[in-house]
Amino acid sequence: MTFSSKNLQKIEQLKKKYPKVEALTLPLLWIVQYQEGYISLDAIKEVAKYCNKSAMEVYSVASFYTMFNLQPVGKYHIQVCKTLSCKLCGQEDIFSSLKNILDINTNQTTDDNLFTLSQVECLGSCGTSPVMEINDKYYENLTPQKVEDIINDLSKKS
Amino acid sequence: MIKEVKIVSKNFDIPNSHNIEVALKNGRYSSIDKLWSYNNQDIIDIVKDSGLRGKGGGGASAGDKWALMPLDGDKPNYLVINCDESEPGTFKDREIISKDPHLLIEGIIYSAYAINSHQAYIYIRGEYKEFQDILQSAIDEAYSKNFLGENIFNRGYNLDITIHRGAGAYICGEKSALLESLEGKRGHPRLKPHQKEPEWYFDNPTLVNNVETIASVPFIINNGAEAYKSYGTELSSGTLLFALSGHIKNRGVYEAEFGTSMMDYINHYGGGIRDNKKLKAVIPGGASTTILTAKEVENITLDYESLRAIGSSLGTGGMIIIDEDTNMVEALKNLVEFYHHESCGQCTPCREGSSWVDTIMKSILDGVANNRDIDKILEIANTMNGKTVCVFAPALADVIRGFILKFRDEFEGYIKVD
Ligand SMILES: Cc1cc2nc3c(=O)[nH]c(=O)nc-3n(C[C@H](O)[C@H](O)[C@H](O)COP(=O)(O)O)c2cc1C
Ligand code: SF4
Ligand code: FES
């Protein structure tokens, strides 16, 4: 894996913002994930070069954070909150309708590689629960009907 | 009755208040001139006098913490804003950064100046990308007006703000874990020193404050310490963005003075319990605070001292409202799963304890546990106290004890074997 020229410029900018290059680890892992869709071992080696670390050290960091995908995921990564405020407001119905519509279980990807389904802890959106995040976008105050519409919309777009 | 008050949330309902022109029309950056008439120490003293307390959950005096920063050391000082906001039941900082980001930026300018820092980082949870983008646009606007960057406001002071994105780890909200993460490492909390000292970012003195703490500073600089102290109680001064979630009619974030009656708050802002059910319990300040029964809620006021006095704590002020139909065994299982998943794994009592309790909770729900298992959970909780690097484990122990001691009959209801 190599960084795109646009991303190389971004990295140069980032270097100025931190006292040490080690601090670039998380920002660079994010750049990789947006560029490649997930973080391969090859990418880990590349990141290590820029932040003065061994590949093993970068791997140990990357694997600590749940949002870094070390395996490929579908085009739309659905993360449904499962924590208490969402549970009290009907999270289980949301989750089972997603499973039904997509015909997959937690941590699985649909055959067309469009959707990956994850259950995550509190998304900091408890006042508008049940909540899910698809890629970078929040979907709040969900109902099974809304979920169906959202998935249909995204399927049509692709 | 409730006296409505808006200090931090004043501009939340103004359309486009995240835009700098709208922000300027509505009082943002209006005390900048006043700022330059003070020196660092003056600002620290004003903040100390105001009684401002950290709003990230701990409630430590902000001024006392600022005073730990060396003002003439030879190392650079750093200001770090905690926008990790991962405590279940808490969603207030998000309101600030998406509805009034310039209030936070203004607060950062005052606070950085006070502790003589030229670089501030905002550590934001990875999931908040949409809100991070709004905040970044506001920062870009501030740079283009020369409110940030070199020689800000032509006053010879340099200040940069960099947003640093986390990647999904609750523990990174703990300040030392946050700094480890900001250094590019796993988010493992650090051992605490024996006496008071600043935090350290790559061995440089660092101040970590919550978003709302810093967003409260402009009001104090603008109106003075006394004005802030006129709200709240003697020891808990000012206001907090309390929040309501769970079984309540009007969920959301509503600012209130410390010392407000919890029941009045729930009825006034929340509109009462959903579907006209009866209240069973409230988790008062984010998942990590000890649960209160409906009876305990009747006479409690929302301030640090009152909640401490009944064996819980105010935490982040994010109240999770639980109605009479809720199964408390399932509720505790849900929270234990959270802690089991989020333990950073450094300390055995926390890593193993959270896992054991999760397993035993499952056996209770499956109907295969016996009465001794309930006591075993309490015993495990006791091993999580005082022997761990951070307070995650003791907080979990209190969560467990709260549920079991206050709702034990529901747990016993699941016991079928002897
Ligand atoms: C497990 C744990 C999680 C925490 N999470 C957060 C958080 O998400 N946001 C926050 O501001 N403070 C959080 N804190 C508190 C911070 O450690 C720190 O006290 C706070 O950011 C300091 O700012 P303040 O004094 O302005 O509140 C957490 C503490 C612990 C022990
Ligand atoms: S108490 Fe738990 S979360 Fe805190 S440092 Fe130890 S293992 Fe990590
Ligand atoms: S519990 Fe689901 S967003 Fe907080």
Side-chain angles (χ1 to χ4, degrees), chain B residues 9 35 54 121 163 195 206 225 232 240-241 258 329 334 344 348 352 361 367-368 398:
Chain B
S9 60
L35 177 71
Y121 295 103
I163 299 183
Q195 66 268 45
T206 301
L240 191 72
L241 294 177
F258 287 111
V329 185
N334 179 282
C344 87
T348 312
E352 302 302 324
M361 285 297 304
V368 296
D398 285 342

Side-chain angles (χ1 to χ4, degrees), chain B residues 395-416:
Chain B
L396 168 58
D398 285 342
V399 169
I400 293 169
R401 278 194 284 259
F403 270 84
I404 296 190
L405 297 178
K406 293 177 187 181
F407 301 96
R408 184 160 181 140
D409 52 334
E410 286 193 38
F411 289 78
E412 284 171 352
Y414 275 90
I415 305 298
K416 298 195 181 67

Side-chain angles (χ1 to χ4, degrees), chain B residues 112-151:
Chain B
Y113 175 79
I115 60 158
N116 203 13
S117 166
H118 301 284
Q119 173 70 59
Y121 295 103
I122 302 172
Y123 187 98
I124 186 167
R125 62 177 300 171
E127 294 86 348
Y128 274 3
K129 182 65 167 62
E130 273 179 90
F131 319 115
Q132 177 185 335
D133 289 345
I134 300 172
L135 179 60
Q136 185 62 56
S137 309
I139 291 172
D140 294 344
E141 286 177 324
Y143 267 102
S144 69
K145 290 229 182 269
N146 192 223
F147 295 178
L148 293 173
E150 281 175 22
N151 189 22

Side-chain angles (χ1 to χ4, degrees), chain B residues 31-38 109 113 152-153 155 157:
Chain B
S31 312
I32 288 284
D33 286 338
K34 221 179 226 169
L35 177 71
W36 312 115
S37 69
Y38 296 122
I109 296 172
Y113 175 79
I152 60 172
F153 299 93
R155 294 288 183 160
Y157 197 83

